Amino acid sequence: MTEARAEMKYVRISPRKVKIVCDLIRGKDVQVAQGILLQTPKAASELLVKLLKSACANAENNHEMDPDNLYVAETFATGGPILKRGMPRAHGRMYRINKRTSHITLVVKEKEA
């Protein structure tokens, strides 16, 4: 069975925040998943809408899949490189602030007839 995927790399959002939204749409039809993402008040939902549209376009144009029969087979976020920043503290010390990045992957497949 063929699959179409889309990846978004080096996104400046923590993977922990993205995984919450990924869990909402995993296994759902594309139209249902898009509706869920548009109604979810999380920063990651905008990114995942964009990624979902890209994966559907890849399925339709590169793999000749029917866009009405697609569902979200896999979606996950892994950690990217961490930007290390500092915050001044008392007595001239510096505390580290980790600015995390994510690599987000979304895979769509066609439903079996």
Side-chain angles (χ1 to χ4, degrees):
M1 177 164 41
T2 58
E3 64 179 33
R5 63 176 44 225
E7 293 180 353
M8 193 179 280
K9 295 192 164 204
Y10 305 104
V11 183
R12 249 305 278 124
I13 187 169
S14 170
R16 182 176 177 180
K17 294 177 183 179
V18 179
K19 287 176 186 179
I20 293 169
V21 184
C22 285
D23 292 341
L24 293 175
I25 62 168
R26 192 176 294 115
K28 304 270 194 310
D29 288 346
V30 168
Q31 290 83 8
V32 174
Q34 191 168 1
I36 290 170
L37 290 174
L38 291 173
Q39 296 299 319
T40 305
K42 295 274 189 188
S45 61
E46 289 181 30
L47 300 170
L48 282 169
V49 165
K50 201 170 179 180
L51 201 60
L52 183 63
K53 288 180 180 177
S54 176
C56 291
N58 290 343
E60 191 175 352
N61 297 319
N62 300 343
H63 301 289
E64 287 82 34
M65 293 180 177
D66 182 19
D68 297 327
N69 285 342
L70 294 176
Y71 73 99
V72 180
E74 294 177 54
T75 176
F76 55 90
T78 57
I82 299 172
L83 305 174
K84 294 168 178 89
R85 302 292 181 258
M87 170 78 72
R89 303 303 291 201
H91 299 284
R93 292 189 177 94
M94 184 73 69
Y95 277 13
R96 178 181 281 177
I97 305 289
N98 290 329
K99 306 274 189 177
R100 298 186 185 274
T101 60
S102 302
H103 299 319
I104 310 168
T105 305
L106 195 141
V107 179
V108 293
K109 290 184 181 175
E110 212 166 15
K111 281 184 259 184
E112 297 291 326

